[in-house]
């Protein structure tokens, strides 16, 4: 019913920048909190960032604060993750997800509150 498609991943070097995009289709998009998560090899899936339905509120994991910026364009049904000053430890598969609670802003770091996930985009940062 809902599909999320990530794009923009790739191979970069320490200090480089990259922007991920997540395009949504199938159902309404604008009223949902959206999030980005990542999973490195052998690690659990970790919260990266979230943005409210209006774009007015954002949250970032401590590990990316000051370097990553989440944004959205509801007219394009797209959420973005701008990643600056990339480090080797940022290497992971990045997933876009839709929060199952429309217009909610509570425990946005909790992956169990997200009901639709993209296929993932590989980001590799070499030192």
């Amino acid at each position: 019913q809902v599909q999320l498609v990530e794009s923009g991943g790739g191979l970069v070097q320490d200090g480089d920048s990259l922007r991920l995009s997540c395009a949504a289709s199938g159902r309404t998009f604008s009223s949902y909190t959206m999030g980005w998560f990542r999973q490195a090899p052998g690690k659990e899936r970790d919260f990266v960032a979230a943005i409210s339905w209006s774009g007015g509120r954002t949250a970032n994991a401590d590990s990316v604060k000051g370097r990553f910026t989440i944004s959205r364009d509801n007219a394009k049904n797209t959420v973005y993750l701008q990643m600056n000053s990339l480090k080797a430890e940022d290497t992971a598969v990045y997933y876009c997800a839709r929060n199952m609670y429309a217009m909610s802003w509570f425990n946005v770091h909790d992956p169990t509150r997200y009901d639709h996930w993209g296929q993932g985009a590989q980001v590799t940062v070499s030192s």
Side-chain angles (χ1 to χ4, degrees):
Q1 200 70 33
V2 175
Q3 288 191 319
L4 304 174
V5 180
E6 298 101 336
S7 62
L11 173 63
V12 297
Q13 296 181 341
D14 273 356
D16 285 352
S17 296
L18 206 58
R19 189 178 78 160
L20 300 180
S21 297
C22 173
S25 63
R27 290 180 64 187
T28 57
F29 168 82
S30 62
S31 62
Y32 291 88
T33 292
M34 300 293 294
W36 286 96
F37 294 77
R38 67 185 182 185
Q39 189 165 23
K43 304 289 186 178
E44 64 184 15
R45 187 170 297 186
D46 290 330
F47 170 75
V48 176
I51 186 166
S52 66
W53 70 272
S54 68
R57 300 184 69 176
T58 60
N60 297 279
D62 288 342
S63 59
V64 306
K65 196 165 295 183
R67 299 187 299 118
F68 290 11
T69 302
I70 188 171
S71 62
R72 69 191 297 163
D73 186 342
N74 288 339
K76 297 182 181 294
N77 285 350
T78 302
V79 63
Y80 306 95
L81 185 67
Q82 178 67 46
M83 302 180 291
N84 297 330
S85 301
L86 283 162
K87 308 172 181 179
E89 51 263 43
D90 295 319
T91 295
V93 177
Y94 284 71
Y95 298 91
C96 173
R98 189 195 77 171
N99 195 292
M100 69 176 69
Y101 302 104
M103 295 179 282
S104 70
W105 191 256
F106 180 73
N107 285 346
V108 296
H109 62 281
D110 184 356
T112 68
R113 296 181 64 86
Y114 295 80
D115 63 346
H116 289 88
W117 296 78
Q119 83 287 350
Q122 178 69 50
V123 173
T124 302
V125 185
S126 62
S127 59

